[in-house]
Amino acid sequence: MTIMKSETVHRSADMVLLPVTLADIEGASARIDGCVSRTPLVRSNSLSNCAGQSVHLKLETHQPIGAFKLRGAMNAILSLDDAQRRRGLVTASTGNHGRAVAYAARELGVPATVCMSSLVPANKVDAIRALGAEVRIVGSSQDDAQEEVERLVEERGLTSIPPFDNVDVVAGQGTIGLEILEDIPDLAAVLVPLSGGGLAGGIAVAIKALRPQACLVGISMERGAAMNASIAAGRPMAVREEETLADSLGGGIGFNNRVTLALCSTLLDDVILLTEHEIAEGIRHAWHQEDLTVEGAGAVGIAAILAKKVEVSGPTAIIVSGANIDPKLHQRIIEGAEA
């Protein structure tokens, strides 16, 4: 594994005023307790044999919506005052965040609108509608969907729940890091799906604050990895969105990114990109060896181990971020279809 940062950078990171703190994450943990699941962390014998170290799967697939996004959405919505919630909620999403906002809004009795691009798979769109949210399909990119959010905020006074670049959302996702360290105190590495950086950034804040020697690796797809391009450039970069098995990792990070680029640039040790074939192998392995139905984004950590693109030196946690794959696509992949 090629390390992007030196230990010196991480020692100095303690002096950097990051936009999300351990206290934010601990507060989120208390706030969402009872509203989200504390997900299991299970050892994978097959991946442990492959890596030569103990490898564990953090199964965010066990959340009520089948994905980790409920943590951040619930924390952000519970952090609003009553007036903000009553105005109605709106968000842009590649699928799972919209589902999380729709679920949380239904549980709290407030209306929600979810804006998505035409690239979002139909099964994710249908699941959001089934939760009672208004769905708007706008354009062919996450940026197009975000523009619709901003219009609705301006015209209808709705309250925006950003998908990742928000302190409360990031703090909610960071609660995963607290749970991992409770289960693996001697943690050596975490492999985490990387898109807009809410999940990776939040987990990195928690892990680096409590176990700074642990390595954080963000994993994305080769097709349209916006955060990877932005980290390399030192500023938000636009990338062309393409169809990918890891559809939940699509979209840009926002040209006005205020939270997640700083976190990922400072705290991630490495970023790894995967081919579509490698992601498909991860999905197949999850089904055949782990008895798990996993979407492409949720399989990237598994895929990185299988492809030998990451080497770990001790107990490792892989974030299995979601299970919401189209059933027909999943069937084709596990039967061996090429990506």
Side-chain angles (χ1 to χ4, degrees), residues 102-169:
Y103 177 93
R106 187 187 68 176
E107 294 296 294
L108 298 171
V110 296
T113 300
V114 180
C115 304
M116 295 177 286
S117 82
S118 59
L119 291 179
V120 176
N123 68 301
K124 294 186 176 182
V125 176
D126 293 342
I128 292 169
R129 285 200 177 105
L131 289 167
E134 177 186 349
V135 171
R136 290 176 174 246
I137 306 299
V138 183
S140 59
S141 72
Q142 179 82 340
D143 289 337
D144 292 337
Q146 183 59 40
E147 287 181 9
E148 179 70 0
V149 169
E150 292 165 4
R151 187 184 71 80
L152 293 172
V153 169
E154 179 69 23
E155 294 184 4
R156 290 167 45 180
L158 302 182
T159 300
S160 175
I161 306 296
F164 53 85
D165 195 42
N166 173 273
V167 169
D168 294 321
V169 170

Side-chain angles (χ1 to χ4, degrees), residues 57-58 60-61 67-69 96 164 173 176 180 190-204 216-221 225 227-228 246-250 260 264 268 270-274 279 294-304 317-323:
L57 304 176
K58 181 62 170 170
E60 288 298 296
T61 52
F68 76 95
K69 286 283 192 176
N96 286 332
F164 53 85
Q173 321 303 23
I176 296 171
I180 290 172
V190 181
L191 311 186
V192 55
L194 178 62
S195 179
L199 177 64
I203 290 175
L216 271 292
V217 182
I219 306 174
S220 195
M221 65 289 177
M227 182 58 80
N228 179 62
D247 55 89
S248 294
L249 303 185
T260 59
C264 292
L268 292 185
D270 201 1
V271 175
I272 291 170
L273 303 183
L274 300 174
I279 296 169
V294 178
E295 61 187 89
V300 295
I302 294 171
I318 293 175
I319 311 300
V320 183
S321 57

Side-chain angles (χ1 to χ4, degrees), residues 223 243-245 275-281 283-284 329 332-333 336-339:
R223 294 183 177 179
E243 288 193 43
T244 171
L245 289 176
T275 67
E276 297 299 299
H277 173 76
E278 289 165 344
I279 296 169
E281 286 296 312
I283 295 171
R284 278 191 281 269
L329 173 61
R332 292 199 301 273
I333 291 173
E338 281 300 313

Side-chain angles (χ1 to χ4, degrees), residues 176-187 206-207 210-211 214:
I176 296 171
L178 300 181
E179 293 177 11
I180 290 172
L181 285 175
E182 288 176 358
D183 293 341
I184 312 178
D186 59 342
L187 181 73
I207 298 294
L210 297 172
R211 188 165 173 80

Side-chain angles (χ1 to χ4, degrees), residues 262-318:
L263 295 177
C264 292
S265 297
T266 304
L267 299 177
L268 292 185
D269 294 283
D270 201 1
V271 175
I272 291 170
L273 303 183
L274 300 174
T275 67
E276 297 299 299
H277 173 76
E278 289 165 344
I279 296 169
E281 286 296 312
I283 295 171
R284 278 191 281 269
H285 178 95
W287 175 259
H288 291 297
Q289 300 296 325
E290 314 294 344
D291 197 24
L292 295 171
T293 299
V294 178
E295 61 187 89
V300 295
I302 294 171
I305 293 284
L306 296 176
K308 304 292 186 180
K309 286 191 170 181
V310 59
E311 297 177 6
V312 295
S313 59
T316 297
I318 293 175

